[in-house]
Amino acid sequence: MQPFLFDRADSVTEALRAAPDATVVAGGTNLVDYMRLGVVSPKHLVDINGLSQETAALGRITLDHQGLRLGALVRMAEAEDHPGIRARYPVLADSLALAASRQIRTMASLGGNLLQRTRCEYFREASWPCNKRRPGSGCAALDGLNRQHAVLGTSDACIATYPGDMAQALLVLDAQVELTGPRGVRLVPVAKVHRQPGTTPYLETTLAPDELITALVVPASPWSWRSRYVKVRDRRSYAFALASAAVALDLESGRVKQARIALGGVATVPWRAEAAEAALVGKPLDEGAARVAADAAFAGARTRAHNAFKVPLGQEVLVQALLQAGALQPPPPTSRNGVTHA
Amino acid sequence: MPDRSQSGTVNRRHFLAAVGGAAAGGAATLPSPGDAATALAAEAAEARDPRALHTVTLTVNGQDHRLSLDARASLLDTLRDRLGLTGTKKGCDHGQCGACTVLVDGRRELSCLRLAVMAQGHQVTTIEGLAPAPDTLHPMQQAFIDQDAFQCGYCTPGQILSAVACVKEGHAGDDDQIREYMSGNVCRCAAYPNIIAAIRQAKTEMEA
């Protein structure tokens, strides 16, 4: 690991002043690993964990009739355990509970998790060419061992998979990210945060260098309880997704009024499957309709030598997620009408 | 209060920025006050030595230790190499095996992924500090012995601390839940069935 300057920020203002030339650290589960591997070598690290002393909202979960607000320094495990989130936003609670290990979820902040970087082995091992890690050096995954790589949103420069789980849940809940910067506070849809690689895979997000994620904001929705996250891995627990699907359904008399679908483990970014959503609208939610939607979700897939299995796998995962969400029963009224579960 | 005499805060950096700016005398040529502040801050950051040691007080097993630490030092290496607490094991050093699990403020964490400078102000508990008194064992330690829940023993300190947290979190309801919530602790000897038995035994005693 390369030497770095280390500071602790006591206020959001201080952290922002340091932001353009410093790397902020909260849980450190992703960053410290990549620093140790030599994948990233920040010259200056600013610990932002102290910010929740000054601005308590950064470490707080608020659930009321307007929706859910998750401070950026809330830990994954805290949100996973929250009874109100489990009842009203099950897709979110499930996506957290199925991620990483409990130790990592205890440490990892929600803000950091959203920006988790790829697990592509050619990105992780600094001696390989990688357009994301060393722009212009090439992509070793294109003709390498690409079993874990993306089939959606890829380019000739990069096929690295977005590895996270929570972002897909946030997508189907129409969540926004609260960004605080020198120009003030702005809300950005989660769907606009990550960039597909294109010719610039090293540009991973639309965040400005001097902006800090301060919260995740999930609107209240009468049908967010009918949501589900299904994740398939090489082993039963503690692994990244080979394919995952987050779904939220608005059903009326068994027919789909609205659907939200996001795919994980198969795409370069948290992947909203709008064609699949459109294919469901007006249909009764049965296996036939789910399979038509799953076909639509992967219509644009581009496979490589070792990852073609992700298309049928991802389709099956989506079908299961849709059918499981459709079978959910509403939570008791106290959990739906805006009571805060502390 | 955290000691910042060495590690500094962003405030200290800005103080240095002002001094550095005066010495360089370059602020007047910069286009805007915002850019000037950024440039000066960057200049001041360059003037500091990233290898400078940080004075940190770590609270481990109820005892305070004042240490001069490289910012790169992990909590794991600091426990083992500086404090001689070698019960915490280094497995993968990348947060994948769980051998380095310790409790931080009662919650289970991976000490390989926590920088030691970021552990100040927190209560760290290692396997050496788990038992309530010298020459006694925590119910989880006793249960691992009773149930033969290890072979080589390398993963055991991490397993035990993780298991204590698993019970306290309320995630040891049944065998499936124990398996899921203990999945961050890998045992290459595959003592998993006995580990589950040990957690069930200790859970009864911890909740009695």
Side-chain angles (χ1 to χ4, degrees):
Chain A
M1 197 184 289
Q2 295 301 308
F4 53 87
L5 298 173
F6 177 79
D7 288 306
R8 298 179 186 90
D10 292 331
S11 71
V12 174
T13 320
E14 277 181 18
L16 289 175
R17 245 180 248 152
D21 64 331
T23 298
V24 299
V25 59
T29 52
N30 196 217
L31 182 63
V32 172
D33 181 30
Y34 276 149
M35 287 168 67
R36 190 165 291 140
L37 285 167
V39 171
V40 293
S41 301
K43 290 186 164 46
H44 188 180
L45 218 57
V46 174
D47 175 358
I48 59 168
N49 289 296
L51 301 189
S52 54
Q53 309 271 317
E54 182 221 29
T55 311
L58 275 162
R60 192 183 286 155
I61 299 172
T62 316
L63 184 59
D64 58 26
H65 64 279
Q66 291 181 308
L68 171 67
R69 186 192 156 89
L70 300 158
L73 290 174
V74 170
R75 267 41 190 180
M76 292 172 79
E78 295 176 77
E80 164 195 353
D81 290 348
H82 194 284
I85 296 175
R86 300 208 72 83
R88 289 172 55 182
Y89 303 96
V91 67
L92 180 57
D94 289 348
S95 74
L96 292 163
L98 294 172
S101 69
R102 180 69 182 192
Q103 287 98 313
I104 289 176
R105 301 197 297 273
T106 301
M107 302 174 76
S109 71
L110 298 182
N113 180 257
L114 187 64
L115 303 184
Q116 179 177 17
R117 304 194 72 191
T118 186
R119 305 296 293 191
C120 171
E121 290 298 337
Y122 302 102
F123 174 78
R124 280 178 66 76
E125 167 49 56
S127 60
W128 289 97
C130 171
N131 287 323
K132 193 184 274 296
R133 178 168 35 73
R134 209 164 59 238
S137 61
C139 172
L142 287 174
D143 297 310
L145 295 171
N146 45 38
R147 179 176 177 273
Q148 60 157 314
H149 288 76
V151 297
L152 294 166
T154 59
S155 74
D156 293 338
C158 182
I159 56 171
T161 308
Y162 174 78
D165 297 294
M166 178 185 70
Q168 283 77 248
L170 294 175
L171 277 185
V172 302
L173 296 171
D174 294 326
Q176 295 186 299
V177 179
E178 181 191 273
L179 299 170
T180 303
R183 298 162 300 282
V185 176
R186 65 180 180 127
L187 284 171
V188 176
V190 171
K192 296 241 156 56
V193 168
H194 296 88
R195 290 176 192 247
Q196 290 182 38
T199 56
T200 55
Y202 48 91
L203 298 176
E204 295 180 348
T205 74
T206 57
L207 274 59
D210 56 358
E211 284 180 315
L212 201 62
I213 297 179
T214 40
L216 307 174
V217 181
V218 188
S221 147
W223 42 282
S224 62
W225 60 267
R226 202 193 299 274
S227 63
R228 188 84 176 138
Y229 189 69
V230 173
K231 176 178 179 182
V232 170
R233 294 164 274 191
D234 274 326
R235 56 186 181 193
R236 176 76 182 273
S237 180
Y238 195 18
F240 290 94
L242 290 171
S244 71
V247 301
L249 295 172
D250 181 7
L251 298 183
E252 200 172 62
S253 317
R255 279 180 189 274
V256 179
K257 271 180 80 183
Q258 287 186 79
R260 294 278 186 281
I261 297 172
L263 306 175
V266 294
T268 53
V269 294
W271 189 264
R272 174 96 180 263
E274 280 166 327
E277 295 172 4
L280 284 170
V281 173
K283 305 253 175 64
L285 185 76
D286 55 23
E287 188 171 337
R291 294 213 177 270
V292 170
D295 283 346
F298 285 86
R302 288 177 64 199
T303 61
R304 309 293 303 184
H306 308 114
N307 65 0
F309 76 100
K310 285 196 173 189
V311 174
L313 181 67
Q315 287 170 334
E316 190 59 35
V317 166
L318 176 53
V319 168
Q320 294 305 321
L322 287 167
L323 296 178
Q324 288 177 26
L328 288 174
Q329 295 302 312
T334 47
S335 302
R336 274 186 294 161
N337 67 5
V339 174
T340 299
H341 300 258
Chain B
M1 278 297 289
D3 174 15
R4 298 211 166 88
S5 59
Q6 292 293 314
S7 60
T9 66
V10 178
N11 276 336
R12 179 170 171 272
R13 190 166 72 94
H14 292 144
F15 168 73
L16 289 172
V19 174
T29 63
L30 291 162
S32 81
D35 289 349
T38 305
L40 291 175
E43 197 174 300
E46 252 167 54
R48 287 167 59 195
D49 179 6
R51 287 181 177 77
L53 298 181
H54 298 253
T55 303
V56 174
T57 301
L58 294 186
T59 309
V60 182
N61 301 330
Q63 229 183 322
D64 283 354
H65 302 269
R66 201 170 161 81
L67 299 166
S68 290
L69 295 176
D70 190 305
R72 292 171 288 181
S74 66
L75 177 59
L76 170 62
D77 286 343
T78 305
L79 289 170
R80 290 179 56 83
D81 301 343
R82 298 292 298 277
L83 301 181
L85 296 169
T86 53
T88 307
K89 299 297 187 246
K90 184 187 275 196
C92 68
D93 213 20
H94 288 285
Q96 298 177 5
C97 75
C100 69
T101 302
V102 297
L103 302 181
V104 177
D105 300 329
R107 292 182 285 269
R108 45 178 160 165
E109 291 198 0
L110 299 173
S111 59
C112 74
L113 291 183
R114 188 184 260 272
L115 297 174
V117 288
M118 291 174 69
Q120 179 163 274
H122 298 281
Q123 302 280 335
V124 179
T125 305
T126 70
I127 193 70
E128 290 90 344
L130 186 61
D135 300 320
T136 64
L137 293 176
H138 185 280
M140 192 65 75
Q141 291 171 306
Q142 186 62 52
F144 267 64
I145 295 169
D146 294 346
Q147 300 294 336
D148 197 16
F150 49 87
Q151 287 184 50
C152 84
Y154 197 80
C155 72
T156 309
Q159 296 278 3
I160 288 176
L161 287 160
S162 193
V164 167
C166 182
V167 171
K168 288 191 174 164
E169 290 159 10
H171 290 137
D174 56 37
D175 289 4
D176 274 350
Q177 195 181 31
I178 292 171
R179 277 188 204 100
E180 174 59 38
Y181 279 88
M182 289 296 293
S183 69
N185 292 83
V186 177
C187 172
R188 294 311 303 270
C189 307
Y192 298 113
N194 300 22
I195 291 170
I196 291 169
I199 293 172
R200 288 169 56 183
Q201 174 186 322
K203 179 186 180 241
T204 310
E205 290 164 38
M206 286 169 71
E207 290 172 353

Short mmCIF file of all heavy atoms in Angstrom, two decimals, chain A residues 157-208:
data_model
loop_
_atom_site.label_atom_id
_atom_site.label_comp_id
_atom_site.label_asym_id
_atom_site.label_seq_id
_atom_site.Cartn_x
_atom_site.Cartn_y
_atom_site.Cartn_z
N ALA A 157 -14.44 -1.61 -24.83
CA ALA A 157 -13.37 -1.20 -23.92
C ALA A 157 -13.49 -1.86 -22.55
O ALA A 157 -12.52 -1.89 -21.79
CB ALA A 157 -13.38 0.32 -23.74
N CYS A 158 -14.67 -2.36 -22.21
CA CYS A 158 -14.88 -2.86 -20.84
C CYS A 158 -16.14 -3.71 -20.76
O CYS A 158 -17.20 -3.34 -21.28
CB CYS A 158 -15.00 -1.68 -19.86
SG CYS A 158 -15.21 -2.16 -18.13
N ILE A 159 -16.01 -4.86 -20.08
CA ILE A 159 -17.19 -5.71 -19.83
C ILE A 159 -17.31 -6.03 -18.34
O ILE A 159 -17.92 -7.02 -17.95
CB ILE A 159 -17.14 -7.01 -20.67
CG1 ILE A 159 -15.84 -7.79 -20.39
CG2 ILE A 159 -17.26 -6.71 -22.16
CD1 ILE A 159 -15.85 -9.19 -21.02
N ALA A 160 -16.72 -5.19 -17.50
CA ALA A 160 -16.73 -5.44 -16.05
C ALA A 160 -18.14 -5.29 -15.49
O ALA A 160 -18.89 -4.39 -15.87
CB ALA A 160 -15.79 -4.47 -15.34
N THR A 161 -18.50 -6.19 -14.58
CA THR A 161 -19.83 -6.20 -13.99
C THR A 161 -19.91 -5.25 -12.80
O THR A 161 -18.98 -5.20 -11.97
CB THR A 161 -20.15 -7.63 -13.50
OG1 THR A 161 -19.94 -8.53 -14.57
CG2 THR A 161 -21.59 -7.74 -13.00
N TYR A 162 -21.02 -4.53 -12.69
CA TYR A 162 -21.30 -3.80 -11.45
C TYR A 162 -21.64 -4.85 -10.40
O TYR A 162 -22.56 -5.65 -10.61
CB TYR A 162 -22.46 -2.81 -11.63
CG TYR A 162 -22.83 -2.15 -10.31
CD1 TYR A 162 -22.06 -1.13 -9.80
CD2 TYR A 162 -23.92 -2.60 -9.57
CE1 TYR A 162 -22.36 -0.55 -8.57
CE2 TYR A 162 -24.23 -2.02 -8.35
CZ TYR A 162 -23.46 -1.00 -7.85
OH TYR A 162 -23.75 -0.44 -6.63
N PRO A 163 -20.93 -4.88 -9.26
CA PRO A 163 -21.05 -6.03 -8.36
C PRO A 163 -22.11 -5.90 -7.27
O PRO A 163 -22.43 -6.89 -6.61
CB PRO A 163 -19.66 -6.09 -7.72
CG PRO A 163 -19.26 -4.64 -7.63
CD PRO A 163 -19.86 -3.96 -8.83
N GLY A 164 -22.64 -4.71 -7.05
CA GLY A 164 -23.48 -4.47 -5.87
C GLY A 164 -24.88 -5.05 -6.00
O GLY A 164 -25.30 -5.49 -7.08
N ASP A 165 -25.59 -5.05 -4.88
CA ASP A 165 -26.97 -5.54 -4.83
C ASP A 165 -27.96 -4.42 -4.52
O ASP A 165 -29.03 -4.34 -5.12
CB ASP A 165 -27.10 -6.62 -3.74
CG ASP A 165 -26.25 -7.84 -4.05
OD1 ASP A 165 -26.54 -8.52 -5.05
OD2 ASP A 165 -25.29 -8.10 -3.31
N MET A 166 -27.62 -3.55 -3.56
CA MET A 166 -28.57 -2.54 -3.10
C MET A 166 -29.02 -1.60 -4.22
O MET A 166 -30.18 -1.16 -4.25
CB MET A 166 -27.94 -1.73 -1.97
CG MET A 166 -28.84 -0.60 -1.46
SD MET A 166 -28.04 0.44 -0.23
CE MET A 166 -26.82 1.29 -1.23
N ALA A 167 -28.12 -1.28 -5.14
CA ALA A 167 -28.46 -0.31 -6.19
C ALA A 167 -29.64 -0.77 -7.03
O ALA A 167 -30.47 0.04 -7.45
CB ALA A 167 -27.24 -0.06 -7.08
N GLN A 168 -29.73 -2.09 -7.27
CA GLN A 168 -30.85 -2.60 -8.06
C GLN A 168 -32.16 -2.40 -7.30
O GLN A 168 -33.20 -2.04 -7.88
CB GLN A 168 -30.66 -4.09 -8.39
CG GLN A 168 -29.66 -4.35 -9.50
CD GLN A 168 -28.22 -4.23 -9.07
OE1 GLN A 168 -27.51 -3.33 -9.48
NE2 GLN A 168 -27.76 -5.10 -8.18
N ALA A 169 -32.13 -2.63 -5.98
CA ALA A 169 -33.33 -2.41 -5.16
C ALA A 169 -33.72 -0.93 -5.20
O ALA A 169 -34.90 -0.58 -5.34
CB ALA A 169 -33.07 -2.86 -3.73
N LEU A 170 -32.73 -0.06 -5.09
CA LEU A 170 -33.03 1.38 -5.13
C LEU A 170 -33.64 1.78 -6.47
O LEU A 170 -34.52 2.64 -6.53
CB LEU A 170 -31.76 2.19 -4.84
CG LEU A 170 -31.17 2.05 -3.44
CD1 LEU A 170 -29.85 2.80 -3.35
CD2 LEU A 170 -32.14 2.57 -2.37
N LEU A 171 -33.16 1.16 -7.54
CA LEU A 171 -33.70 1.48 -8.87
C LEU A 171 -35.20 1.18 -8.95
O LEU A 171 -35.98 1.98 -9.46
CB LEU A 171 -32.98 0.67 -9.96
CG LEU A 171 -31.66 1.17 -10.51
CD1 LEU A 171 -31.22 0.26 -11.65
CD2 LEU A 171 -31.76 2.60 -10.99
N VAL A 172 -35.60 0.01 -8.46
CA VAL A 172 -37.01 -0.36 -8.60
C VAL A 172 -37.89 0.41 -7.62
O VAL A 172 -39.11 0.41 -7.75
CB VAL A 172 -37.26 -1.88 -8.47
CG1 VAL A 172 -36.46 -2.63 -9.52
CG2 VAL A 172 -36.98 -2.40 -7.08
N LEU A 173 -37.27 1.06 -6.63
CA LEU A 173 -38.03 1.88 -5.69
C LEU A 173 -38.01 3.36 -6.10
O LEU A 173 -38.45 4.22 -5.34
CB LEU A 173 -37.46 1.72 -4.27
CG LEU A 173 -37.59 0.30 -3.69
CD1 LEU A 173 -36.81 0.18 -2.38
CD2 LEU A 173 -39.06 -0.06 -3.46
N ASP A 174 -37.51 3.65 -7.29
CA ASP A 174 -37.43 5.03 -7.80
C ASP A 174 -36.67 5.95 -6.83
O ASP A 174 -37.05 7.11 -6.61
CB ASP A 174 -38.82 5.60 -8.07
CG ASP A 174 -39.52 4.88 -9.22
OD1 ASP A 174 -38.83 4.45 -10.15
OD2 ASP A 174 -40.76 4.74 -9.16
N ALA A 175 -35.62 5.43 -6.23
CA ALA A 175 -34.89 6.19 -5.21
C ALA A 175 -34.00 7.26 -5.83
O ALA A 175 -33.65 7.20 -7.02
CB ALA A 175 -34.03 5.24 -4.38
N GLN A 176 -33.68 8.23 -4.99
CA GLN A 176 -32.78 9.31 -5.40
C GLN A 176 -31.60 9.37 -4.44
O GLN A 176 -31.68 8.94 -3.29
CB GLN A 176 -33.51 10.64 -5.39
CG GLN A 176 -34.63 10.70 -6.42
CD GLN A 176 -35.24 12.07 -6.49
OE1 GLN A 176 -35.78 12.55 -5.50
NE2 GLN A 176 -35.15 12.71 -7.64
N VAL A 177 -30.51 9.92 -4.95
CA VAL A 177 -29.31 10.12 -4.14
C VAL A 177 -29.22 11.60 -3.82
O VAL A 177 -29.34 12.44 -4.71
CB VAL A 177 -28.05 9.68 -4.91
CG1 VAL A 177 -26.81 9.91 -4.08
CG2 VAL A 177 -28.15 8.22 -5.30
N GLU A 178 -29.05 11.91 -2.54
CA GLU A 178 -28.84 13.32 -2.15
C GLU A 178 -27.35 13.59 -2.17
O GLU A 178 -26.58 12.94 -1.47
CB GLU A 178 -29.40 13.56 -0.75
CG GLU A 178 -29.25 15.00 -0.29
CD GLU A 178 -29.57 15.14 1.19
OE1 GLU A 178 -30.76 15.33 1.52
OE2 GLU A 178 -28.63 15.05 2.01
N LEU A 179 -26.96 14.55 -3.01
CA LEU A 179 -25.56 14.94 -3.13
C LEU A 179 -25.38 16.33 -2.55
O LEU A 179 -26.15 17.24 -2.88
CB LEU A 179 -25.13 14.92 -4.59
CG LEU A 179 -25.22 13.59 -5.32
CD1 LEU A 179 -25.01 13.79 -6.82
CD2 LEU A 179 -24.18 12.62 -4.76
N THR A 180 -24.35 16.49 -1.72
CA THR A 180 -24.06 17.80 -1.16
C THR A 180 -22.71 18.25 -1.70
O THR A 180 -21.75 17.49 -1.67
CB THR A 180 -24.04 17.74 0.38
OG1 THR A 180 -25.30 17.23 0.82
CG2 THR A 180 -23.83 19.12 0.97
N GLY A 181 -22.71 19.47 -2.22
CA GLY A 181 -21.47 20.01 -2.78
C GLY A 181 -21.37 21.50 -2.48
O GLY A 181 -22.27 22.07 -1.87
N PRO A 182 -20.31 22.13 -2.94
CA PRO A 182 -20.12 23.56 -2.68
C PRO A 182 -21.26 24.40 -3.28
O PRO A 182 -21.52 25.51 -2.82
CB PRO A 182 -18.80 23.90 -3.36
CG PRO A 182 -18.16 22.62 -3.70
CD PRO A 182 -19.21 21.56 -3.74
N ARG A 183 -21.94 23.87 -4.30
CA ARG A 183 -23.04 24.61 -4.92
C ARG A 183 -24.38 24.28 -4.29
O ARG A 183 -25.42 24.68 -4.78
CB ARG A 183 -23.07 24.31 -6.43
CG ARG A 183 -21.79 24.76 -7.14
CD ARG A 183 -21.58 24.10 -8.50
NE ARG A 183 -21.48 22.66 -8.43
CZ ARG A 183 -20.38 22.00 -8.05
NH1 ARG A 183 -19.29 22.66 -7.69
NH2 ARG A 183 -20.37 20.67 -8.00
N GLY A 184 -24.36 23.51 -3.21
CA GLY A 184 -25.60 23.20 -2.51
C GLY A 184 -25.94 21.72 -2.59
O GLY A 184 -25.08 20.88 -2.87
N VAL A 185 -27.22 21.45 -2.36
CA VAL A 185 -27.69 20.07 -2.30
C VAL A 185 -28.51 19.78 -3.55
O VAL A 185 -29.30 20.61 -3.99
CB VAL A 185 -28.57 19.87 -1.04
CG1 VAL A 185 -29.15 18.46 -0.99
CG2 VAL A 185 -27.77 20.14 0.23
N ARG A 186 -28.30 18.62 -4.18
CA ARG A 186 -29.15 18.23 -5.29
C ARG A 186 -29.54 16.76 -5.16
O ARG A 186 -28.82 15.96 -4.55
CB ARG A 186 -28.47 18.50 -6.64
CG ARG A 186 -27.22 17.68 -6.91
CD ARG A 186 -26.61 18.00 -8.27
NE ARG A 186 -25.42 17.21 -8.52
CZ ARG A 186 -25.21 16.45 -9.61
NH1 ARG A 186 -26.12 16.39 -10.57
NH2 ARG A 186 -24.10 15.75 -9.75
N LEU A 187 -30.70 16.46 -5.72
CA LEU A 187 -31.18 15.09 -5.73
C LEU A 187 -31.02 14.54 -7.13
O LEU A 187 -31.43 15.17 -8.11
CB LEU A 187 -32.66 15.04 -5.32
CG LEU A 187 -32.97 15.21 -3.84
CD1 LEU A 187 -34.47 15.35 -3.63
CD2 LEU A 187 -32.43 14.05 -3.02
N VAL A 188 -30.43 13.36 -7.23
CA VAL A 188 -30.22 12.73 -8.54
C VAL A 188 -30.84 11.33 -8.48
O VAL A 188 -30.60 10.60 -7.52
CB VAL A 188 -28.70 12.61 -8.83
CG1 VAL A 188 -28.46 11.88 -10.14
CG2 VAL A 188 -28.06 13.98 -8.87
N PRO A 189 -31.64 10.95 -9.47
CA PRO A 189 -32.16 9.58 -9.46
C PRO A 189 -31.01 8.57 -9.45
O PRO A 189 -29.99 8.79 -10.13
CB PRO A 189 -32.94 9.49 -10.79
CG PRO A 189 -33.22 10.90 -11.18
CD PRO A 189 -32.09 11.73 -10.64
N VAL A 190 -31.17 7.50 -8.71
CA VAL A 190 -30.13 6.46 -8.67
C VAL A 190 -29.81 6.00 -10.10
O VAL A 190 -28.67 5.71 -10.44
CB VAL A 190 -30.59 5.27 -7.79
CG1 VAL A 190 -29.63 4.09 -7.92
CG2 VAL A 190 -30.68 5.71 -6.33
N ALA A 191 -30.85 6.00 -10.94
CA ALA A 191 -30.67 5.56 -12.33
C ALA A 191 -29.68 6.44 -13.09
O ALA A 191 -29.17 6.03 -14.14
CB ALA A 191 -32.02 5.56 -13.04
N LYS A 192 -29.40 7.64 -12.60
CA LYS A 192 -28.49 8.56 -13.31
C LYS A 192 -27.10 8.61 -12.68
O LYS A 192 -26.27 9.42 -13.10
CB LYS A 192 -29.10 9.97 -13.31
CG LYS A 192 -30.42 10.06 -14.07
CD LYS A 192 -30.28 11.04 -15.22
CE LYS A 192 -31.25 10.83 -16.35
NZ LYS A 192 -32.65 10.83 -16.09
N VAL A 193 -26.84 7.78 -11.68
CA VAL A 193 -25.57 7.88 -10.96
C VAL A 193 -24.43 7.15 -11.68
O VAL A 193 -23.32 7.66 -11.79
CB VAL A 193 -25.72 7.34 -9.51
CG1 VAL A 193 -24.36 7.15 -8.85
CG2 VAL A 193 -26.58 8.29 -8.68
N HIS A 194 -24.73 5.94 -12.19
CA HIS A 194 -23.65 5.14 -12.78
C HIS A 194 -23.59 5.34 -14.29
O HIS A 194 -24.61 5.46 -14.96
CB HIS A 194 -23.87 3.66 -12.46
CG HIS A 194 -23.80 3.37 -10.98
ND1 HIS A 194 -24.89 3.47 -10.16
CD2 HIS A 194 -22.76 3.01 -10.19
CE1 HIS A 194 -24.53 3.17 -8.92
NE2 HIS A 194 -23.24 2.89 -8.91
N ARG A 195 -22.38 5.32 -14.83
CA ARG A 195 -22.18 5.47 -16.27
C ARG A 195 -21.83 4.12 -16.88
O ARG A 195 -20.98 3.40 -16.35
CB ARG A 195 -20.97 6.37 -16.55
CG ARG A 195 -21.12 7.82 -16.24
CD ARG A 195 -19.74 8.42 -16.53
NE ARG A 195 -19.62 9.77 -16.02
CZ ARG A 195 -19.50 10.83 -16.81
NH1 ARG A 195 -19.45 10.71 -18.13
NH2 ARG A 195 -19.37 12.03 -16.28
N GLN A 196 -22.41 3.84 -18.03
CA GLN A 196 -21.96 2.68 -18.79
C GLN A 196 -20.55 2.97 -19.31
O GLN A 196 -20.19 4.13 -19.52
CB GLN A 196 -22.93 2.39 -19.94
CG GLN A 196 -24.27 1.86 -19.43
CD GLN A 196 -25.23 1.52 -20.56
OE1 GLN A 196 -24.80 1.00 -21.58
NE2 GLN A 196 -26.51 1.80 -20.36
N PRO A 197 -19.75 1.91 -19.52
CA PRO A 197 -18.34 2.15 -19.81
C PRO A 197 -18.07 2.91 -21.12
O PRO A 197 -17.21 3.80 -21.14
CB PRO A 197 -17.75 0.74 -19.85
CG PRO A 197 -18.90 -0.17 -20.08
CD PRO A 197 -20.08 0.48 -19.42
N GLY A 198 -18.78 2.57 -22.19
CA GLY A 198 -18.51 3.22 -23.47
C GLY A 198 -17.03 3.20 -23.78
O GLY A 198 -16.36 2.17 -23.60
N THR A 199 -16.52 4.34 -24.22
CA THR A 199 -15.08 4.43 -24.50
C THR A 199 -14.30 4.97 -23.30
O THR A 199 -13.09 5.14 -23.37
CB THR A 199 -14.82 5.36 -25.70
OG1 THR A 199 -15.43 6.63 -25.42
CG2 THR A 199 -15.42 4.78 -26.98
N THR A 200 -15.04 5.26 -22.20
CA THR A 200 -14.38 5.85 -21.02
C THR A 200 -14.73 5.06 -19.75
O THR A 200 -15.37 5.58 -18.84
CB THR A 200 -14.79 7.32 -20.83
OG1 THR A 200 -16.25 7.36 -20.77
CG2 THR A 200 -14.30 8.20 -21.95
N PRO A 201 -14.33 3.78 -19.67
CA PRO A 201 -14.73 2.96 -18.52
C PRO A 201 -14.19 3.47 -17.18
O PRO A 201 -14.70 3.07 -16.14
CB PRO A 201 -14.16 1.57 -18.85
CG PRO A 201 -13.21 1.77 -19.95
CD PRO A 201 -13.57 3.01 -20.66
N TYR A 202 -13.19 4.34 -17.22
CA TYR A 202 -12.64 4.88 -15.97
C TYR A 202 -13.56 5.95 -15.36
O TYR A 202 -13.38 6.34 -14.22
CB TYR A 202 -11.23 5.45 -16.21
CG TYR A 202 -11.17 6.35 -17.42
CD1 TYR A 202 -11.38 7.72 -17.32
CD2 TYR A 202 -10.93 5.81 -18.69
CE1 TYR A 202 -11.35 8.53 -18.43
CE2 TYR A 202 -10.90 6.62 -19.81
CZ TYR A 202 -11.11 7.98 -19.68
OH TYR A 202 -11.09 8.79 -20.79
N LEU A 203 -14.53 6.43 -16.13
CA LEU A 203 -15.52 7.36 -15.58
C LEU A 203 -16.72 6.51 -15.15
O LEU A 203 -17.50 6.07 -15.99
CB LEU A 203 -15.95 8.40 -16.60
CG LEU A 203 -14.86 9.33 -17.12
CD1 LEU A 203 -15.42 10.25 -18.21
CD2 LEU A 203 -14.28 10.17 -15.97
N GLU A 204 -16.84 6.28 -13.85
CA GLU A 204 -17.85 5.32 -13.39
C GLU A 204 -19.14 5.97 -12.94
O GLU A 204 -20.18 5.31 -12.88
CB GLU A 204 -17.26 4.47 -12.26
CG GLU A 204 -16.10 3.60 -12.78
CD GLU A 204 -15.47 2.73 -11.71
OE1 GLU A 204 -15.74 2.94 -10.52
OE2 GLU A 204 -14.68 1.85 -12.09
N THR A 205 -19.10 7.22 -12.52
CA THR A 205 -20.33 7.86 -12.03
C THR A 205 -20.44 9.27 -12.59
O THR A 205 -19.51 9.80 -13.21
CB THR A 205 -20.34 7.98 -10.49
OG1 THR A 205 -19.44 9.02 -10.08
CG2 THR A 205 -19.94 6.66 -9.84
N THR A 206 -21.62 9.87 -12.35
CA THR A 206 -21.85 11.25 -12.78
C THR A 206 -21.63 12.24 -11.63
O THR A 206 -21.92 13.42 -11.77
CB THR A 206 -23.30 11.40 -13.29
OG1 THR A 206 -24.19 10.98 -12.23
CG2 THR A 206 -23.55 10.52 -14.50
N LEU A 207 -21.14 11.75 -10.50
CA LEU A 207 -20.89 12.64 -9.37
C LEU A 207 -19.72 13.58 -9.68
O LEU A 207 -18.74 13.16 -10.30
CB LEU A 207 -20.53 11.82 -8.12
CG LEU A 207 -21.67 11.30 -7.25
CD1 LEU A 207 -22.61 10.41 -8.03
CD2 LEU A 207 -21.11 10.56 -6.05
N ALA A 208 -19.84 14.82 -9.22
CA ALA A 208 -18.71 15.74 -9.35
C ALA A 208 -17.68 15.39 -8.27
O ALA A 208 -18.04 14.87 -7.22
CB ALA A 208 -19.19 17.18 -9.18
#
